[in-house]
Amino acid sequence: MIAIVFAIRFLGVESFGTFSSLLAVIGILSKFVDFGIEPIVFREFSKDKNNFHLFNGALTLRFLLYVILVVVFNLTASFFSYSVREILLSNILFTTIVVSYKMVNIRELLSTPFKVNLKMHYPMTLAVLDNLVLLLMVVFIPFMKDPVLFFVIIYALSNVPGFIFSFHYLKKKLNYKFELTLDRSLWLLKESLPLFGFVILTTVFMQIDIVILNYFKGPYDVGIYSAGVRLTMPLSIIPGAIVTTVFPILMKRMSDQISSDSLSNLVIKLLYFISFVLAAVFTFESDALINLIFGSQYSAASLPTSILYWCQIFLFFTFYTLVVLIAKNKQYYNFIFGAIQVIVNVGLNFLLIPKYSFLGAALAKLIASFASFVFILLIIGNLGYRPSIGRYKVLFWSFLTCGGLYLLSFLPAVPYLIISPILILIITIGLKLFGGDELLIFFRLVNKEELGKSLIEKFRL
């Protein structure tokens, strides 16, 4: 995020808009390589974490799909009025599908064995390494004659060290050896097909607003909107990290026919707590924070970014419940969920963007997120699960937190950011938002059960 903030400042609104438009198209096309394979591999790997055969087949399949995608794109790009420069920049960005963790594709698949073995510190450290390299190279943007080309190159190349080290640590820590094989590929494709549609639809939901905004308004408006997107998009790592920790335990409880309701309730409450805090803290000081982070040239991004933050409440919740549906082998609901998101979002984008520009794009995403959230609530309710998170206490905590942050918002941005976490902590502990049993489950998840017991007893939580 720090590297991208510098890049946004150095490139300027219009140049960053050009980069974001190309990246949005590449992001959508990359899902034809994804094909929804990773959740199935994760599920099967959780059952037998010493068998790399299916993993190798999935990796080989993704490499093959990548080659096909690049060839088809280059053969057809001229028919879609792509300039030579746009084709060049696109081909450089295509390499990120293979080497970058940001694309959530092949690098994501390489992290699956680490997920199953609860060793995610390896791929996450390598992801930090990627971004440190990017951060070091971003500072040279102001000295380049073609800053967009330079940024596209370093955006791709910065991921190469982490990609290489991923294979190194797979071999060193988990005795993995890569083999080219397409065995069980047809089974994997068949099993992943409902998720393939879901993955395509989800990516369209996340990126299509940028494409439509560029079509109606141009790079400047895309640059303003993309600044907000870049502040909120990395937040998906939070539910991703929590789900990665919980999923193997969830699978084990399901296979042993043990109820997982208490675990799911804790996860959902935790996801709500984090997403609500992020949205509320940003919203009450949005103007000052946007100017502080991006500079005054991006001041118009304040309101759309706030709206995108409130989207995270619905997106965090559905992130987890969709994984639960995969665990229950009900992934066809994921496809319907994705279809609702896209239909509502695209329809509202065409309706709102021509008149309201980037604000219309943000509103369309919020409404689509809420509509799909309602759908998923109905589905899990029909399957017999109704989250129990103490809704009245949570509602009171939410109002009290918003009231406190509103009063703090009269302070300058820096004191506001320092005092806000303290206030939220006091309100959360005072209302006992998380009960002793929930806290104990949390400490068990991070292998600190004895510490949890002593803290709960000491503070009478």
Side-chain angles (χ1 to χ4, degrees):
M1 187 180 288
I2 296 170
I4 292 297
V5 165
F6 278 114
I8 290 172
R9 280 177 167 267
F10 293 149
L11 289 174
V13 177
E14 192 159 336
S15 293
F16 181 65
T18 299
F19 166 78
S20 297
S21 298
L22 290 172
L23 190 63
V25 174
I26 299 300
I28 293 172
L29 293 176
S30 73
K31 296 310 162 184
F32 289 94
V33 177
D34 185 311
F35 213 88
I37 291 171
E38 198 276 338
I40 303 301
V41 175
F42 190 12
R43 185 186 70 193
E44 298 302 314
F45 225 135
S46 297
K47 299 175 183 176
D48 184 4
K49 62 183 180 181
N50 296 314
N51 187 355
F52 286 97
H53 190 67
L54 183 63
F55 175 75
N56 274 324
L59 200 54
T60 304
L61 183 60
R62 277 195 172 173
F63 280 129
L64 178 61
L65 292 172
Y66 169 76
V67 172
I68 294 171
L69 176 65
V70 173
V71 170
V72 171
F73 172 82
N74 282 280
L75 290 175
T76 60
S78 60
F79 292 102
F80 294 97
S81 301
Y82 271 71
S83 66
V84 173
R85 177 179 171 80
E86 288 173 330
I87 293 173
L88 171 64
L89 295 175
S90 297
N91 274 284
I92 297 171
L93 288 173
F94 265 120
T95 63
T96 61
I97 295 175
V98 176
V99 299
S100 176
Y101 203 82
K102 300 182 213 37
M103 273 293 181
V104 195
N105 213 305
I106 290 177
R107 277 285 291 276
E108 178 205 27
L109 188 60
L110 289 176
S111 71
T112 303
F114 294 111
K115 290 181 185 179
V116 173
N117 288 278
L118 296 180
K119 296 181 182 293
M120 275 299 289
H121 50 286
Y122 289 106
M124 296 317 298
T125 301
L126 294 178
V128 172
L129 172 64
D130 292 347
N131 291 306
L132 283 175
V133 174
L134 179 62
L135 179 59
L136 291 172
M137 300 180 79
V138 156
V139 297
F140 295 101
I141 290 178
F143 306 103
M144 297 297 153
K145 291 183 179 179
D146 191 338
V148 175
L149 176 61
F150 176 74
F151 180 62
V152 166
I153 292 172
I154 63 174
Y155 186 81
L157 290 182
S158 61
N159 301 285
V160 173
F163 177 71
I164 295 172
F165 278 116
S166 293
F167 282 99
H168 170 74
Y169 283 110
L170 278 171
K171 181 178 181 180
K172 184 177 180 180
K173 300 298 179 181
L174 301 176
N175 297 316
Y176 168 70
K177 182 180 179 181
F178 174 64
E179 295 179 359
L180 283 170
T181 176
L182 290 173
D183 190 32
R184 297 191 71 192
S185 293
L186 290 177
W187 176 85
L188 189 58
L189 289 172
K190 180 182 177 182
E191 196 74 7
S192 304
L193 191 57
L195 288 178
F196 171 57
F198 165 68
V199 165
I200 291 288
L201 291 168
T202 300
T203 307
V204 169
F205 167 71
M206 298 301 294
Q207 303 283 359
I208 198 64
D209 45 9
I210 293 176
V211 177
I212 298 173
L213 185 59
N214 186 58
Y215 174 78
F216 280 113
K217 296 295 182 178
Y220 181 86
D221 292 64
V222 170
I224 293 293
Y225 182 68
S226 295
V229 171
R230 285 290 161 179
L231 274 183
T232 54
M233 186 181 293
L235 298 179
S236 63
I237 196 174
I238 297 171
I242 294 172
V243 168
T244 296
T245 303
V246 168
F247 190 78
I249 302 169
L250 190 66
M251 288 298 299
K252 182 72 167 58
R253 289 191 176 187
M254 286 183 177
S255 62
D256 294 341
Q257 296 184 335
I258 300 174
S259 173
S260 57
D261 285 357
S262 59
L263 176 62
S264 291
N265 288 337
L266 170 63
V267 171
I268 289 171
K269 183 186 283 190
L270 186 61
L271 290 174
Y272 174 80
F273 172 82
I274 296 170
S275 57
F276 186 90
V277 166
L278 290 170
V281 168
F282 180 86
T283 297
F284 286 105
E285 201 65 83
S286 59
D287 291 334
L289 291 176
I290 285 292
N291 288 330
L292 180 67
I293 296 168
F294 296 128
S296 58
Q297 60 180 328
Y298 287 93
S299 59
S302 170
L303 183 54
T305 305
S306 296
I307 294 171
L308 291 175
Y309 264 103
W310 288 105
C311 289
Q312 303 307 309
I313 293 178
F314 307 117
L315 296 177
F316 274 36
F317 173 83
T318 53
F319 193 107
Y320 177 69
T321 50
L322 291 172
V323 170
V324 172
L325 290 175
I326 293 171
K328 293 178 177 291
N329 206 26
K330 303 286 187 182
Q331 52 261 32
Y332 52 86
Y333 286 121
N334 295 34
F335 177 80
I336 301 172
F337 165 87
I340 292 171
Q341 274 191 330
V342 169
I343 291 170
V344 175
N345 191 35
V346 171
L348 289 174
N349 273 321
F350 277 104
L351 184 65
L352 298 175
I353 285 177
K355 186 174 182 180
Y356 300 105
S357 186
F358 40 78
L359 180 59
L363 287 171
K365 183 157 284 184
L366 178 64
I367 296 169
S369 300
F370 178 74
S372 54
F373 163 77
V374 171
F375 167 77
I376 214 69
L377 271 182
L378 294 173
I379 293 301
I380 62 174
N382 290 336
L383 294 175
Y385 172 56
R386 293 173 177 81
S388 177
I389 61 172
R391 62 191 66 180
Y392 294 112
K393 182 183 286 188
V394 168
L395 191 62
F396 183 59
W397 170 87
S398 302
F399 280 117
L400 203 58
T401 299
C402 283
L405 291 174
Y406 171 74
L407 294 176
L408 288 180
S409 66
F410 291 97
L411 297 172
V414 174
Y416 170 83
L417 291 175
I418 294 172
I419 300 174
S420 293
I422 300 172
L423 173 70
I424 293 168
L425 184 63
I426 292 172
I427 294 173
T428 303
I429 294 176
L431 290 179
K432 294 186 178 180
L433 185 66
F434 294 94
D437 292 340
E438 292 173 324
L439 292 173
L440 190 58
I441 293 173
F442 172 78
F443 280 106
R444 283 173 184 163
L445 288 174
V446 295
N447 297 318
K448 299 290 183 181
E449 184 173 354
E450 293 303 317
L451 174 63
K453 287 180 179 178
S454 63
L455 288 175
I456 291 169
E457 183 176 346
K458 182 178 181 180
F459 294 100
R460 297 179 181 178
L461 298 173

